[in-house]
Amino acid sequence: MPDRDPAPAPGAALRTLHARGRLAAEYPAVRELLAAADRDTLDFAGRVLAPLDPEEVLAHHPDTPVVRVAVTGRGTVGELVPALTAQLARHGILARTRVCGSGGYLGDLADPNSPLYAHRPEVTLCVLDPLTVWDTVEVPWQPLEVSVAAERRRKVLGELAQLHAASAPRGATLVLNTVPLLRRFTHQLTSLAQRAELGGLWKQFNADLLHMARPSAGLAVLDLEPVTSAGVRADEPRLGTYAEAHCTADLLTHYAREAAHLIRGLRGEAKKCLVLDLDGTLWDGVLAEDGPEGVTAAGTLRGAAFGAFQRTVKQLAAQGVLLAVCSRNDAEAVRRALAEHPEFPLRPDDFATVVAGWGSKAEGVRTVAERLGLAPEAVVFADDTPFERESVRAGVPGAAVVELDAEPALHTERLLADGWFDTPALTDEDRLRPVRYARRAARVSSEAASADHRAFLATLELRVEISPAREHELARLAQLTLRTNRFNLTGQRLSAEQVRQRAAAPGAAVLAVRAADRFGDEGVVGAVLARIDGNRLRVENLLLSCRVLGRGVEEAVLAGLLAAAREAGLTAVHAVWRPTRANAAVRTLCPRHGFRTVTGPGAGPGAPPGSGTAAGPAAGARAGSDREDGAETGVQTGRGTGAATGAATGAESRAPGEVRFEHPLRTLPPVPGHITLRLRLTGEPAQPTADGAEVGACAPSRS
């Protein structure tokens, strides 16, 4: 059989799609073409993708994740758009971008009626160029005068951030950046002492900017110092003088890359698991030839480079990144090398699972994902062999692939280049993820040894607590709305600030679901977003992590809510299911617990019966993976709309395909017998029920 023709290079394939006018029709292919694209291909992609009409793409692919971005700055910033468009396309995200700045960022952000806010951005990029601050400094100047001007500018930026929070859609994020200090300013000082003073004061200005950042609350700050320290020039005097373009194209390209990582993180798309090759990746040598004692990660300059890479990987694991091995080697030899080699910073306990054998790497990566209960989109695969990388790209769609090669000194830089694990803030659940997955493995092993699943559950000693979310848990609840696809009644996505606003609203019940068993504490595994509407409890969303599904937790949560509502004197509980790509299995949850389907206007959580209105739009109609709480793909969210608005106005439209339910609270389902449940709708003490579970004795305020 003749050999297949090699696949065209990404750049050539992209040019072919463009020439044929097929970019919109085949937009999902663009993500794969750009996954390992070089600088020239990305530049070309930005130029041809930026003019593309998002509506044309969505007409072909309605599930494509979309982000609305506004761009503003002090001077010309339009050149950022092509680079940002290409970087977002690399991550499968379609950009709706509007360039503002006709009156400068001060006017754009300070005026609630500006075109910037009319665009209703989810993310606003306010590009602070190297002349920021200097346009307010008069000659002659001293370092202290520059510092005073910088502090005034920082305070203005803080005020603009507050205005943005008030005027942009709920949950929107304003992005600032640190400001490079140009040599042409520092060297106007002939005194070396004053030059050093200016440098220190400028670093303090940038440090103060960075300390302003609260990404989960709507303000992020990109640090450009790592970019400029890597040799990227910040400005080009001729472009600045004649075109008001005060940032170089190279700086904007790197800014766009960092901004795309931030946007992906804000959307809850951080990866969870790093799958590593061994030979040539984690150590120097070939295990099958050199044996466990012959491979190395120290002792030589080259070996030390592998040791440095292992320490980087260990640092990621300390922040909740799951580590796994996928190696074409004998399993026993791999075990011995990891357990016994004295040079390795990484030890067997650092890995959630190890797949070693002689099958394909694609099969091995799929096995890792299945063992850990993760979607392929949750996985990052790192290997120094081109064939193995291409095997995983082809065989594990959605997995990210890191391009390592024979130079171990560059492994760390290449692993970290795309910010795959970046997240707005680490939660306790993130940090404890490796421990909890180890417990999961023990749980699975115990279940396999049990006679049947029912007998296993009876020995689990499962405890579920549901109560108002504590302040430190709000970020985790937001994370669940962003990452949970499979067990998510509505698909609605919320930021931590939006969750906080809901929790503070009159009549609201924002509940955290916590679980623990004899293997350990699982932490916050779910959320209930509800509110009191007259004499009814309206469940606006219910989410659970897939790691607790199959243990009866979902039945306990719903049964407890119904019991608490009746005990509080309410007459009914309403809920709604809105279809997403991944939540079809949840459609039957309510009917299985005694809910009846309600038809007609005004029957959903958005308005009381008979009001003539309907429930809110499906804020998360575009969802990703069919596995919940993996690294699910992004969603198109309804910022500033949906249930939060409907709660106040009662004037929402019914989403396509949604189903509404009502429970009259006459006959209640039991809490599963193997679960001890404690549930409080408010902070009041819970009271025991006849079956041994506990429910809240009171309802939220109806004011």
Side-chain angles (χ1 to χ4, degrees):
M1 180 179 292
D3 291 338
R4 280 181 161 183
D5 292 335
L14 193 68
R15 284 173 168 80
T16 299
L17 289 178
H18 174 58
R20 294 176 178 174
R22 300 288 297 169
L23 283 173
E26 300 186 38
Y27 189 80
V30 172
R31 178 178 187 172
E32 299 304 320
L33 291 175
L34 297 182
D38 58 22
R39 172 69 179 270
D40 289 342
T41 299
L42 285 170
D43 286 346
F44 174 77
R47 292 196 303 273
V48 299
L49 292 174
L52 205 61
D53 183 1
E55 294 303 327
E56 186 180 357
V57 175
L58 294 172
H60 291 283
H61 308 286
D63 290 336
T64 304
V66 182
V67 61
R68 302 182 70 88
V69 181
V71 180
T72 185
R74 199 181 62 86
T76 302
V77 292
E79 285 301 310
L80 176 63
V81 173
L84 180 66
T85 302
Q87 290 294 337
L88 289 172
R90 288 185 67 229
H91 301 297
I93 302 173
L94 182 65
R96 293 183 187 270
T97 307
R98 177 160 189 171
V99 179
C100 306
S102 57
Y105 69 88
L106 294 173
D108 288 335
L109 293 172
D111 181 6
N113 299 312
S114 70
L116 185 150
Y117 294 120
H119 184 57
R120 298 191 60 75
E122 297 170 71
V123 177
T124 298
L125 302 178
C126 178
V127 181
L128 304 178
D129 63 56
L131 297 192
T132 299
V133 176
W134 292 105
D135 56 357
T136 64
V137 177
E138 295 184 1
V139 176
W141 49 265
Q142 297 294 323
L144 185 58
E145 292 168 327
V146 176
S147 177
V148 170
E151 177 59 15
R152 287 173 180 162
R153 185 52 51 97
R154 188 192 67 80
K155 289 182 177 178
V156 168
L157 291 170
E159 293 169 358
L160 292 176
Q162 294 177 355
L163 290 170
H164 183 271
S167 302
R170 287 184 181 179
T173 299
L174 173 64
V175 182
L176 305 175
N177 58 270
T178 58
V179 182
L181 176 60
L182 301 180
R183 186 179 188 275
R184 60 184 161 112
F185 290 117
T186 62
H187 283 59
Q188 290 179 29
L189 295 170
T190 58
S191 164
L192 296 181
Q194 283 194 312
R195 200 179 291 174
E197 181 185 0
L198 175 62
L201 292 171
W202 197 268
K203 285 180 171 59
Q204 185 60 54
F205 163 57
N206 279 327
D208 290 342
L209 279 176
L210 291 168
H211 284 306
M212 288 169 56
R214 291 185 61 205
S216 59
L219 179 60
V221 181
L222 298 179
D223 188 358
L224 297 188
E225 184 174 355
V227 173
T228 55
S229 67
V232 174
R233 178 158 181 166
D235 83 317
E236 209 295 318
R238 291 167 296 181
L239 289 175
T241 300
Y242 303 126
E244 285 290 314
H246 302 295
C247 296
T248 63
D250 202 14
L251 181 65
L252 290 178
T253 295
H254 284 80
Y255 178 105
R257 190 182 186 103
E258 296 301 319
H261 300 167
L262 171 66
I263 290 170
R264 192 184 64 225
L266 290 170
R267 298 170 71 84
E269 296 174 37
K271 307 295 187 182
K272 288 190 172 183
C273 179
L274 174 59
V275 182
L276 295 151
D277 172 49
L278 295 177
D279 297 338
T281 297
L282 274 189
W283 58 54
D284 194 17
V286 178
L287 184 61
E289 299 174 2
D290 302 322
E293 299 82 11
V295 296
T296 183
T300 66
L301 293 177
R302 180 174 171 82
F306 287 98
F309 182 61
Q310 286 200 27
R311 287 190 291 275
T312 296
V313 170
K314 195 176 184 76
Q315 171 67 15
L316 293 176
Q319 298 165 88
V321 175
L322 298 172
L323 303 183
V325 165
C326 180
S327 174
R328 297 183 68 173
N329 270 303
D330 177 73
E332 176 58 22
V334 169
R335 185 201 65 77
R336 284 183 54 206
L338 292 174
E340 301 173 8
H341 204 293
E343 298 173 349
F344 295 166
L346 291 169
R347 312 309 299 172
D349 288 348
D350 291 315
F351 295 96
T353 189
V354 174
V355 175
W358 301 102
S360 74
K361 287 290 181 73
E363 180 183 349
V365 172
R366 289 195 299 269
T367 298
V368 167
E370 290 167 2
R371 286 182 182 177
L372 300 179
L374 298 175
E377 291 85 356
V379 172
V380 176
F381 174 67
D383 196 299
D384 66 308
T385 307
F387 171 81
E388 304 293 9
R389 296 196 300 267
E390 291 308 312
S391 167
V392 171
R393 279 200 183 97
V396 194
V401 178
V402 177
E403 300 269 333
L404 304 182
D405 59 19
E407 178 48 81
L410 298 178
H411 280 8
T412 291
E413 182 175 319
R414 290 172 176 168
L415 173 63
L416 302 179
D418 277 306
W420 293 118
F421 307 105
D422 291 359
T423 185
L426 283 179
T427 66
D428 291 341
E429 279 68 23
D430 291 328
R431 295 184 179 90
L432 293 173
R433 186 180 294 123
V435 173
R436 287 181 173 141
Y437 272 81
R439 292 171 182 164
R440 181 182 186 273
R443 196 177 289 110
V444 169
S445 176
S446 177
E447 181 177 6
S450 298
D452 57 52
H453 184 64
R454 188 183 299 273
F456 165 71
L457 291 177
T459 67
L460 201 53
E461 301 174 15
L462 183 54
R463 305 176 300 282
V464 176
E465 179 188 359
I466 307 170
S467 66
R470 300 151 190 156
E471 176 64 26
H472 71 276
E473 294 172 329
L474 297 179
R476 169 59 176 165
L477 266 59
Q479 188 180 70
L480 283 167
T481 73
L482 292 169
R483 295 184 176 182
T484 304
N485 288 323
R486 184 177 170 190
F487 198 102
N488 186 330
L489 274 183
T490 69
Q492 187 178 41
R493 306 325 200 189
L494 299 171
S495 68
E497 187 60 29
Q498 287 173 302
V499 174
R500 184 174 289 105
Q501 290 169 357
R502 284 190 176 222
V510 174
L511 310 178
V513 180
R514 311 171 192 89
D517 59 27
R518 64 184 173 90
F519 293 98
D521 187 355
E522 292 274 15
V524 177
V525 298
V528 179
L529 306 178
R531 61 185 172 86
I532 290 291
D533 182 4
N535 59 355
R536 300 164 187 265
L537 178 68
R538 299 194 179 276
V539 179
E540 294 172 332
N541 206 4
L542 172 60
L543 314 100
L544 281 177
S545 167
C546 72
R547 72 174 187 253
V548 297
L549 297 183
R551 302 187 219 167
V553 175
E554 56 268 42
E555 286 83 3
V557 171
L558 207 50
L561 281 174
L562 295 172
R566 186 166 76 174
E567 183 178 327
L570 303 180
T571 60
V573 174
H574 284 257
V576 63
W577 172 80
R578 298 189 184 113
T580 70
R581 184 190 301 175
N583 73 348
V586 191
R587 163 68 174 80
T588 61
L589 177 71
C590 289
R592 285 190 283 110
H593 289 78
F595 285 79
R596 62 183 180 87
T597 302
V598 179
T599 59
S611 68
T613 60
R622 296 178 183 136
S625 160
D626 62 349
R627 294 197 185 204
E628 173 273 322
D629 211 26
E632 299 77 359
T633 59
V635 295
Q636 169 67 25
T637 61
R639 315 292 282 214
T641 60
T645 302
T649 66
E652 303 177 57
S653 59
R654 180 190 292 267
E658 77 173 31
V659 183
R660 304 175 188 180
F661 303 102
E662 179 183 39
H663 198 294
L665 300 180
R666 297 190 187 96
T667 302
L668 303 184
V671 175
H674 65 281
I675 293 178
T676 300
L677 172 70
R678 296 174 60 89
L679 187 147
R680 300 192 306 278
L681 292 178
T682 67
E684 297 297 326
Q687 299 296 326
T689 61
D691 59 4
E694 297 180 355
V695 297
C698 59
S701 167
R702 304 186 191 187
S703 60

